[in-house]
Coordinates of all heavy atoms in Angstrom, one line a residue:
W103 N -4.7 26.5 -1.3 CA -4.5 26.0 0.0 C -4.9 24.5 0.1 O -4.3 23.7 0.8 CB -5.2 26.8 1.1 CG -4.9 26.3 2.5 CD1 -5.9 25.8 3.3 CD2 -3.7 26.3 3.2 NE1 -5.3 25.4 4.5 CE2 -3.9 25.7 4.4 CE3 -2.4 26.6 2.8 CZ2 -2.9 25.5 5.4 CZ3 -1.4 26.4 3.7 CH2 -1.6 25.9 5.0
L160 N 1.9 28.2 -5.7 CA 1.8 29.3 -4.7 C 1.5 30.6 -5.4 O 0.8 31.4 -4.9 CB 3.1 29.4 -3.9 CG 3.5 28.2 -3.1 CD1 4.8 28.4 -2.3 CD2 2.4 27.7 -2.2
G163 N -2.1 31.1 -6.0 CA -2.7 31.5 -4.8 C -2.5 33.0 -4.5 O -3.4 33.7 -4.1
V164 N -1.3 33.5 -4.8 CA -1.0 34.9 -4.7 C -1.9 35.7 -5.6 O -2.5 36.8 -5.3 CB 0.5 35.2 -4.9 CG1 0.7 36.7 -4.9 CG2 1.3 34.5 -3.8
G167 N -5.4 36.2 -4.7 CA -5.7 36.9 -3.4 C -5.8 35.9 -2.3 O -6.1 36.4 -1.1
E168 N -5.6 34.6 -2.5 CA -5.8 33.6 -1.5 C -4.6 33.6 -0.5 O -4.7 33.4 0.7 CB -5.9 32.3 -2.1 CG -6.1 31.1 -1.1 CD -6.1 29.8 -1.9 OE1 -6.1 29.7 -3.1 OE2 -6.1 28.8 -1.1
F169 N -3.4 34.0 -1.1 CA -2.2 34.0 -0.2 C -1.6 35.5 -0.3 O -1.7 36.1 -1.3 CB -1.1 33.1 -0.8 CG -1.4 31.7 -0.8 CD1 -0.9 30.8 -1.8 CD2 -2.3 31.1 0.1 CE1 -1.2 29.5 -1.9 CE2 -2.7 29.7 0.0 CZ -2.1 28.9 -1.0
R170 N -1.2 35.9 0.9 CA -0.5 37.2 1.0 C 0.9 36.9 1.7 O 1.0 37.3 2.9 CB -1.3 38.2 1.7 CG -2.6 38.6 1.0 CD -3.4 39.6 1.8 NE -4.7 39.8 1.1 CZ -5.7 40.5 1.6 NH1 -5.5 41.1 2.8 NH2 -6.8 40.7 1.0
P171 N 1.8 36.3 1.1 CA 3.0 35.8 1.7 C 3.8 36.9 2.3 O 4.0 37.9 1.8 CB 3.8 35.0 0.6 CG 3.2 35.7 -0.7 CD 1.8 36.0 -0.4
I172 N 4.4 36.5 3.5 CA 5.3 37.4 4.2 C 6.8 37.1 3.9 O 7.7 37.8 4.3 CB 5.1 37.4 5.7 CG1 5.4 36.0 6.2 CG2 3.7 37.9 6.1 CD1 5.3 35.9 7.8
L173 N 7.0 36.1 3.1 CA 8.3 35.7 2.6 C 8.3 35.4 1.1 O 7.2 35.1 0.6 CB 8.8 34.4 3.3 CG 8.9 34.4 4.8 CD1 9.1 32.9 5.3 CD2 10.1 35.2 5.2
I175 N 8.0 33.6 -2.2 CA 7.3 32.3 -2.4 C 8.3 31.2 -2.8 O 8.2 30.0 -2.5 CB 6.1 32.3 -3.4 CG1 6.6 32.9 -4.7 CG2 5.0 33.1 -2.8 CD1 5.4 32.8 -5.8
I178 N 9.7 29.8 0.3 CA 8.6 29.0 1.0 C 8.6 27.6 0.3 O 8.6 26.6 1.0 CB 7.3 29.6 0.9 CG1 7.3 31.0 1.7 CG2 6.2 28.7 1.5 CD1 6.0 31.8 1.6
K211 N 2.5 22.5 8.4 CA 1.3 23.2 7.9 C 1.1 24.5 8.6 O 0.7 25.5 7.9 CB 0.1 22.2 8.2 CG -1.3 22.7 7.6 CD -2.3 21.7 7.8 CE -3.7 22.2 7.4 NZ -4.7 21.1 7.5
A212 N 1.4 24.6 9.9 CA 1.2 25.8 10.6 C 2.2 26.9 10.1 O 1.8 28.0 9.9 CB 1.5 25.6 12.1
Y213 N 3.4 26.4 9.8 CA 4.4 27.4 9.2 C 3.9 27.9 7.8 O 4.0 29.1 7.6 CB 5.7 26.6 9.0 CG 6.6 27.2 7.9 CD1 7.2 28.4 8.1 CD2 6.8 26.5 6.7 CE1 8.0 29.0 7.1 CE2 7.6 27.1 5.7 CZ 8.2 28.3 5.9 OH 8.9 28.8 4.9
L214 N 3.4 27.0 7.0 CA 2.9 27.4 5.7 C 1.8 28.4 5.8 O 1.7 29.3 5.0 CB 2.6 26.2 4.8 CG 3.8 25.3 4.4 CD1 3.3 24.1 3.7 CD2 4.6 26.1 3.4
R215 N 0.8 28.1 6.7 CA -0.3 29.0 6.8 C 0.1 30.4 7.2 O -0.4 31.4 6.7 CB -1.3 28.4 7.9 CG -2.5 29.3 8.1 CD -3.4 28.7 9.2 NE -4.1 27.6 8.8 CZ -5.2 27.6 8.0 NH1 -5.7 28.7 7.6 NH2 -5.8 26.5 7.6
H216 N 1.1 30.4 8.1 CA 1.6 31.7 8.6 C 2.5 32.4 7.5 O 2.3 33.6 7.2 CB 2.5 31.6 9.8 CG 3.1 32.8 10.3 ND1 2.4 33.9 10.8 CD2 4.4 33.2 10.3 CE1 3.3 34.9 11.1 NE2 4.5 34.5 10.8
A217 N 3.4 31.6 6.8 CA 4.2 32.2 5.8 C 3.5 32.7 4.6 O 3.8 33.7 4.0 CB 5.3 31.2 5.4
L218 N 2.4 32.0 4.3 CA 1.6 32.4 3.1 C 0.5 33.4 3.5 O -0.1 33.9 2.6 CB 0.9 31.1 2.5 CG 1.9 30.1 1.8 CD1 1.2 28.8 1.5 CD2 2.5 30.7 0.6
Q219 N 0.2 33.5 4.8 CA -0.9 34.4 5.3 C -2.1 34.0 4.5 O -2.7 34.8 3.7 CB -0.5 35.8 5.0 CG 0.6 36.3 6.0 CD 0.1 36.4 7.5 OE1 -0.7 37.2 7.8 NE2 0.7 35.5 8.3
V220 N -2.6 32.8 4.7 CA -3.7 32.2 4.0 C -5.0 33.0 4.4 O -5.3 33.2 5.6 CB -3.9 30.7 4.3 CG1 -5.1 30.2 3.6 CG2 -2.7 29.9 4.0
Q221 N -5.7 33.5 3.4 CA -6.9 34.3 3.7 C -8.1 33.3 3.8 O -8.2 32.4 3.0 CB -7.1 35.3 2.5 CG -6.0 36.2 2.3 CD -5.6 37.0 3.5 OE1 -6.4 37.8 3.9 NE2 -4.3 36.8 4.0
G222 N -9.0 33.6 4.7 CA -10.1 32.7 4.9 C -9.9 31.6 5.8 O -8.8 31.5 6.5
G223 N -10.8 30.6 5.8 CA -10.7 29.5 6.8 C -9.8 28.3 6.2 O -9.0 28.5 5.3

Side-chain angles (χ1 to χ4, degrees):
W103 180 247
L160 301 182
V164 172
E168 183 184 351
F169 301 152
R170 296 178 184 173
I172 59 175
L173 297 169
I175 57 175
I178 296 173
K211 185 174 178 179
Y213 155 72
L214 289 172
R215 180 182 288 281
H216 175 69
L218 293 169
Q219 290 292 288
V220 181
Q221 307 300 298

